[in-house]
């Protein structure tokens, strides 16, 4: 595609101007986020029902989660949201090096989140605090305590997959940014990834108290 | 004299690669047309086999297990592979950008991706036939779907993947309608088919993710035994039904709403009269979309859900009748004192009016809690949803397909044979399914392989009907394919309609319009503007 | 610093907004964790959810720019939460009230 004065290289043929293209991308992204909220929604619904049926199991089981690691992960994810927002802001100001730096930090924090999660998971697997028929632990009072861990692993697992997907996208952004694709006029992919990343953070903001704090 | 334009989206660029990698919404619509119609034919074959088996009690052609697999495949293929993508992905894809004066949908790559995702999902679904076919019914109810040895995973994974295809289409349409309307096309200047697609798209993006998580949970439950739907492990099988119907009830409106949009176009154009109650029709689409999320529990009146929930769901179900009734009254009023021409698309629209009204009214019976307890899981249900889905959506789809056929290909089909096909389909449909209302009210349960002798005459009646229906579709396939090669050119605007897609040539050029059209009148201003039919010029 | 825009006229928030919101989120996390060590009985869940809702609103309004962008995005976001609420509440109508009119017998 050749770049002419009236038609920048990033503009697709069926849009009349860059603003229309950017707004379309943003609207599409928000609709995608809506589908994500409802995807997680099914699991939130399952949580609400099984907690309302088994309040004592949820209470007895949740004390086996490590509040300190959970809190640390919350702080890590919030910080990564800040750095993601700052990466977008830097590109709005045309500061490419700063954008690269913030994206790299975001990526690193996401990795830290998953590493901490890995330690939590392996501890649970070691103890046999697992979903359904894999549950072998016997230190929790009440019938069917595995229900708590079924919901816990489903929700944090799905969230973890979203963190992984976010990391892949941010890594791609790092490559694109270093290849000088983005500018203060065109930074839509960074902005869209930012929206996604904030939603991943937002879902964790609910998962953390539901599992680690009140159970 | 009319001739086909020398250069159109059909012949430029050329080559198989240019079709498989196309970003043109019109070509993607055609890719969908061929794949979805293949699924329709396959689902239809299963339907014919089921009904043939039911001709008399006992074994006719297949054993009971095979019968269970066939009705499951018929249902799953018709729902997930045919009827959900039918109108939005084929006709919506083709005409939506044309109708609002855009050069394409907002995200052409996503649009192509949706077709490939559709193909991938279909392959998984079809693989289940080879891998031992599912026998759970298309609803995959737990606990049976967890216990059965048939290939539930392949089929549900297929449906899960097909959900993404549906979401991509819905997302694309919402953004396209918001951002790519031609200058001057305000919300209330949009054709009503666009409103129908918009309401559909809202349901697609809101409800489909819940189907995704539901099927994912079912697969995990089956593979890993997490106990979430297993009562022995503290889980709840009825929860599966809540999850499933939170999607699948709104999904019924994913199927019918775009059909209603087509009917609004057809009734106005073929009555040559301004649509009555434009805003009422537009808003009733949104109303149906909204109410659709509040009534899913009416599928579960005998599942053991709480009495309060059943009462709330029953009460709310009656509200669906209001926006649906508004539409029917407006269509009938539009025809009043219009100069109605009974060409094939209009015959389908009239069939729709007749059949959908029966389907809708029986839906009100079934929404009443006490009546449903008697009719639940009988042939009355089967007849009801076939009147809505086939008598409603499929009739509208066929009407739309015939209406836009000359726009898609530039050529007309044989009107005479089209009328023969409408007659066969209308008669065949009623013979097949009206008998099922009676069967159901007499207590014949659905999904049964064998039955009492007293039901035999009506079952046989239903089977004969399916042969008439099948003949109608064969006739249609023949004259439609024939028209591709021998049909006479219909010109830009064979029906004298006023919406944008008829202002460009047939078939349209690659970029849809030489110049983006300007809005000079409303989509149905037949009282102010006359558009001459280009059909007469060809004779 | 308050009203900077990009080359193509997009609104840029000042640095201190992002840092301030980030700090507020950390403080709220500290509060909700601290509170969880005290038992308020049935109010535990309520307190935790109120704090989470405040945190989520901060993320949505500032990081996701809902406060400054077109209201359409706000409508989409609120609609998602609304329909999710319908899903959960209507399902609870069933699961919490089974056997209320006629007792369930095995």
């Amino acid at each position: 595609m050749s770049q002419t004065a009236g038609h920048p290289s990033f503009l697709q043929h069926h849009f009349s101007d860059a603003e229309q293209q950017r707004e379309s991308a943003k609207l599409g992204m928000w609709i995608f986020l809506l589908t994500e909220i409802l995807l997680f929604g099914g699991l939130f619904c399952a949580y609400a029902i099984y907690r309302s049926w088994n309040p004592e199991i949820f209470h007895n089981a949740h004390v086996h989660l490590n509040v300190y690691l959970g809190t640390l992960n919350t702080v890590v994810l919030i910080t990564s949201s800040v750095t993601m927002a700052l990466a977008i802001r830097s590109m709005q100001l045309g500061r490419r090096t700063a954008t690269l730096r913030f994206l790299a930090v975001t990526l690193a924090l996401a990795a830290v989140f998953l590493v901490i999660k890995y330690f939590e998971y392996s501890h649970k697997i070691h103890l046999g605090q697992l979903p359904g028929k894999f549950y072998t632990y016997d230190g929790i009072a009440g019938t069917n305590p595995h229900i708590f861990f079924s919901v816990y692993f489903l929700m944090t697992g799905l969230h973890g997959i979203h963190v992984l997907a976010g990391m892949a996208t941010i890594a791609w952004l790092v490559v694109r940014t270093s290849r000088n694709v983005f500018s203060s006029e065109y930074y839509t992919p960074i902005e869209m990834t930012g929206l996604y990343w904030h939603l991943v953070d937002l879902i964790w903001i609910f998962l953390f108290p539901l599992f680690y704090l009140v159970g | 004299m009319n001739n086909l334009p020398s250069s159109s989206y059909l012949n430029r660029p050329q080559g198989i690669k240019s079709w498989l990698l196309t970003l043109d919404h019109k070509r993607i619509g055609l890719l969908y047309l061929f794949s979805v119609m293949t699924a329709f034919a396959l689902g239809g074959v299963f339907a014919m086999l089921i009904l043939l088996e039911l001709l008399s009690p006992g074994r006719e052609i297949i054993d009971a297990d095979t019968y269970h697999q066939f009705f499951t495949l018929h249902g799953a293929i018709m729902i997930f592979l045919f009827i959900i993508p039918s109108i939005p992905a084929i006709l919506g894809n083709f005409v939506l950008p044309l109708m609002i004066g855009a050069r394409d949908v907002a995200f052409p790559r996503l649009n192509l991706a949706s077709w490939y995702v559709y193909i991938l999902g279909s392959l998984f679904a079809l693989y289940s036939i080879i891998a031992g076919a599912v026998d759970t019914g298309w609803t995959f109810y737990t606990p049976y779907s967890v216990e059965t040895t048939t290939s539930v995973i392949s089929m549900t994974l297929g449906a899960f993947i097909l959900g993404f295809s549906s979401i991509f289409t819905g997302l694309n349409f919402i953004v396209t309608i918001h951002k790519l309307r031609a200058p001057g096309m305000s919300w209330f200047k949009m054709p009503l088919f666009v409103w129908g697609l918009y309401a559909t798209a809202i349901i697609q993006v809101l409800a489909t993710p819940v189907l995704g998580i539901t099927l994912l949970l079912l697969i995990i439950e089956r593979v890993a035994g997490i106990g979430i739907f297993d009562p022995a492990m503290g889980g709840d099988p009825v929860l599966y039904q809540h999850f499933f119907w939170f999607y699948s009830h709104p999904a019924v409106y994913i199927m019918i709403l775009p059909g209603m949009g087509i009917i609004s176009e057809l009734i106005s154009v073929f009555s040559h009269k301004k649509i009555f109650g434009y805003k009422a029709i537009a808003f009733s689409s949104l109303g149906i979309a909204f109410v659709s999320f509040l009534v899913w529990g009416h599928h579960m009146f005998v599942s053991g859900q709480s009495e309060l929930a059943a009462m709330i769901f029953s009460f709310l179900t009656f509200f669906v009748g209001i926006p649906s009734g508004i539409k029917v009254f407006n269509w009938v009023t539009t025809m009043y004192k219009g100069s109605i021409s009974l060409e094939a698309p209009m015959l389908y629209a009239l069939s729709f009016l007749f059949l959908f009204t029966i389907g809708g009214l029986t839906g009100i019976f079934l929404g009443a809690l006490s009546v449903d307890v008697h009719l639940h899981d009988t042939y009355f249900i089967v007849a009801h949803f076939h009147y809505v889905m086939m008598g409603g959506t499929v009739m509208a789809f066929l009407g739309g397909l015939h209406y836009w056929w000359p726009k898609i290909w530039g050529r007309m089909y044989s009107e005479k044979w089209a009328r023969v096909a409408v007659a066969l389909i209308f008669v065949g449909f009623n013979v097949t399914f009206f008998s099922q209302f009676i069967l159901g009210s007499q207590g014949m349960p659905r999904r049964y392989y064998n039955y009492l002798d007293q039901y035999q005459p009506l079952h046989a009646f239903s089977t004969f009907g399916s042969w008439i229906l099948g003949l109608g579709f064969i006739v249609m396939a023949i004259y439609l394919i024939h028209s591709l090669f021998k049909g006479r050119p219909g010109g830009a605007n064979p029906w004298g309609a006023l919406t944008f897609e008829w202002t460009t040539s047939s078939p349209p050029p690659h970029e849809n319009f030489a110049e983006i059209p300007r809005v000079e009148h409303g989509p149905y201003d037949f009282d102010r503007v006359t558009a001459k039919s280009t059909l007469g010029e060809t004779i | 610093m308050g009203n900077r825009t990009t080359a193509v006229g997009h609104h840029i928030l000042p640095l201190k907004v992002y840092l301030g919101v980030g700090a507020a989120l950390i403080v709220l996390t500290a509060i909700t964790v601290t509170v969880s060590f005290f038992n308020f009985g049935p109010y535990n869940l309520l307190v935790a959810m109120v704090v989470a809702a405040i945190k989520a609103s901060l993320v949505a309004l500032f990081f996701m720019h809902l406060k400054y962008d077109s209201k359409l995005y706000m409508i989409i976001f609120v609609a998602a939460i609304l329909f999710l609420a319908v899903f959960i509440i209507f399902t609870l109508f069933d699961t919490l009230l089974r056997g209320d009119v006629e007792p369930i017998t095995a």
Side-chain angles (χ1 to χ4, degrees), chain B residues 403-457:
Chain B
Y403 176 60
W404 283 300
W405 193 261
K407 178 54 62 183
I408 296 174
W409 302 103
R411 293 178 186 277
M412 294 296 294
Y413 48 82
S414 155
E415 179 64 27
K416 185 182 77 185
W417 284 104
R419 288 179 196 202
V420 171
V422 180
L424 286 171
I425 289 172
F426 184 79
V427 172
F429 174 83
N430 281 296
V431 172
T432 310
F433 292 105
F434 200 81
S435 46
Q436 298 189 355
F437 274 128
I438 306 168
L439 273 176
S441 64
Q442 292 175 351
M444 172 72 211
R446 68 191 284 204
R447 293 178 171 176
Y448 273 36
Y449 173 67
N450 208 345
Y451 55 83
L452 300 175
D453 288 337
Q454 70 197 67
Y455 297 125
Q456 209 267 331

Side-chain angles (χ1 to χ4, degrees), chain A residues 12-15 20 23-24 27-28 31 34-35 38-39 42-43 49-50 53 131-134 144 146-147 150 154, chain B residues 105-109 171 174-175 178-180 205-206 209 213 217 224-226 228 233-236 239 243 511:
Chain A
Q12 291 178 287
H13 77 99
H14 58 289
F15 291 112
Q20 189 190 31
E23 297 245 306
S24 298
L27 179 57
I31 296 167
L34 168 140
T35 66
L38 279 136
L39 180 78
L43 294 178
I49 286 155
Y50 287 112
W53 275 343
K133 64 181 184 192
F134 300 103
N144 295 319
H146 64 84
I147 280 281
S150 291
L154 281 173
Chain B
V105 292
F107 309 115
R109 282 197 201 93
L171 190 154
I174 295 180
V175 178
H178 268 276
K179 299 292 179 193
L180 293 185
V205 298
L206 268 172
I213 197 74
L217 284 176
I226 51 167
I228 219 145
M233 298 172 84
D236 180 21
L239 194 60
F243 274 51
E511 294 256 291

Side-chain angles (χ1 to χ4, degrees), chain B residues 54-199:
Chain B
L54 291 171
L55 186 58
S56 65
R59 184 185 164 113
E60 211 73 37
I61 47 166
I62 46 177
D63 61 29
D65 285 338
T66 315
Y67 174 80
H68 297 150
Q69 295 172 351
F70 279 14
F71 74 65
T72 303
L73 288 168
H74 165 69
I77 289 173
M78 284 302 200
I79 298 278
F80 295 112
L81 270 67
F82 167 66
I83 205 163
I84 287 179
S86 64
I87 298 179
I90 300 172
L91 297 174
N93 242 329
F94 195 96
V95 294
L96 168 67
L98 289 165
M99 274 187 147
I100 60 173
R103 298 215 182 273
D104 208 322
V105 292
F107 309 115
R109 282 197 201 93
L110 189 70
N111 202 15
L112 181 64
S114 89
W115 183 72
Y116 277 102
V117 170
Y118 171 85
I119 293 296
L120 182 71
S122 305
L123 289 179
F124 272 100
L126 296 180
Y127 173 73
S128 76
I129 301 179
I130 309 167
V134 200
D135 63 349
T136 59
W138 75 277
T139 47
F140 316 119
Y141 272 11
T142 54
Y144 184 66
S145 58
V146 177
E147 290 160 5
T148 176
T149 53
T150 53
S151 54
V152 175
I153 291 181
S154 154
M155 179 58 95
T156 46
L157 197 61
F160 173 76
I161 295 169
L162 288 165
F164 284 96
S165 166
S166 181
I167 289 176
F168 288 175
T169 304
L171 190 154
N172 224 334
F173 283 5
I174 295 180
V175 178
T176 307
I177 293 168
H178 268 276
K179 299 292 179 193
L180 293 185
R181 279 171 286 133
M185 179 163 287
S186 59
W187 283 87
F188 295 118
K189 291 241 165 70
M190 295 194 315
L192 285 163
F193 181 45
V194 178
W195 273 102
L197 288 171
Y198 184 67

Side-chain angles (χ1 to χ4, degrees), chain A:
Chain A
M1 236 184 278
S2 65
Q3 185 161 354
T4 56
H7 204 94
S9 60
F10 56 82
L11 185 64
Q12 291 178 287
H13 77 99
H14 58 289
F15 291 112
S16 54
D17 56 53
E19 192 55 26
Q20 189 190 31
Q21 175 169 305
R22 177 174 174 271
E23 297 245 306
S24 298
K26 205 160 183 176
L27 179 57
M29 193 64 203
W30 270 104
I31 296 167
F32 171 70
L33 297 186
L34 168 140
T35 66
E36 288 281 19
I37 291 174
L38 279 136
L39 180 78
F40 275 94
L43 294 178
F44 277 104
C45 185
Y47 174 93
I49 286 155
Y50 287 112
R51 186 178 191 272
S52 69
W53 275 343
N54 312 292
E56 68 297 332
I57 289 170
F58 270 63
H59 183 266
N60 295 341
H62 100 278
V63 295
H64 289 269
L65 299 183
N66 189 326
V67 182
Y68 301 103
L69 289 182
T71 310
L72 182 60
N73 250 351
T74 308
V75 173
V76 167
L77 215 51
I78 287 173
T79 315
S80 79
S81 245
V82 176
T83 54
M84 188 73 221
L86 293 180
I88 300 166
R89 182 176 180 276
S90 305
M91 195 42 94
Q92 286 177 324
L93 294 166
R95 297 172 190 157
R96 196 166 64 90
T97 335
T99 304
L100 266 178
R101 209 173 295 142
F102 281 124
L103 285 176
V105 174
T106 311
L107 196 58
L109 287 169
V112 169
F113 178 89
L114 285 183
V115 168
I116 294 176
K117 206 82 221 139
Y118 167 77
F119 283 119
E120 286 189 83
Y121 273 10
S122 48
H123 184 62
K124 298 257 159 329
I125 292 167
H126 179 70
L127 291 177
Q129 295 170 338
L130 288 169
K133 64 181 184 192
F134 300 103
Y135 183 82
T136 52
Y137 189 68
D138 60 358
I140 297 170
T143 45
N144 295 319
H146 64 84
I147 280 281
F148 176 84
F149 294 102
S150 291
V151 181
Y152 167 80
F153 275 100
L154 281 173
M155 294 188 86
T156 55
L158 187 64
H159 181 262
I161 292 170
H162 279 79
V163 173
L164 266 180
M167 286 177 71
T169 320
I170 295 168
W172 173 74
L173 287 182
V174 169
V175 174
R176 302 280 283 174
T177 310
S178 60
R179 287 195 189 148
N180 222 349
V181 176
F182 305 121
S183 64
S184 63
E185 282 166 27
Y186 174 68
Y187 51 89
T188 310
I190 310 184
E191 203 184 5
M192 298 306 118
T193 311
L195 283 175
Y196 171 82
W197 192 249
H198 297 314
L199 187 85
V200 171
D201 184 24
L202 202 145
I203 287 166
W204 180 258
I205 284 176
F206 283 96
L207 293 184
F208 168 61
L210 285 176
F211 285 110
Y212 290 81
L213 301 184
V214 294

Side-chain angles (χ1 to χ4, degrees), chain B residues 384-399:
Chain B
H384 156 69
F385 70 69
H386 280 90
Y387 264 81
V388 180
M389 294 293 100
M390 187 159 184
T393 308
V394 175
M395 290 296 168
F397 170 67
L398 296 177

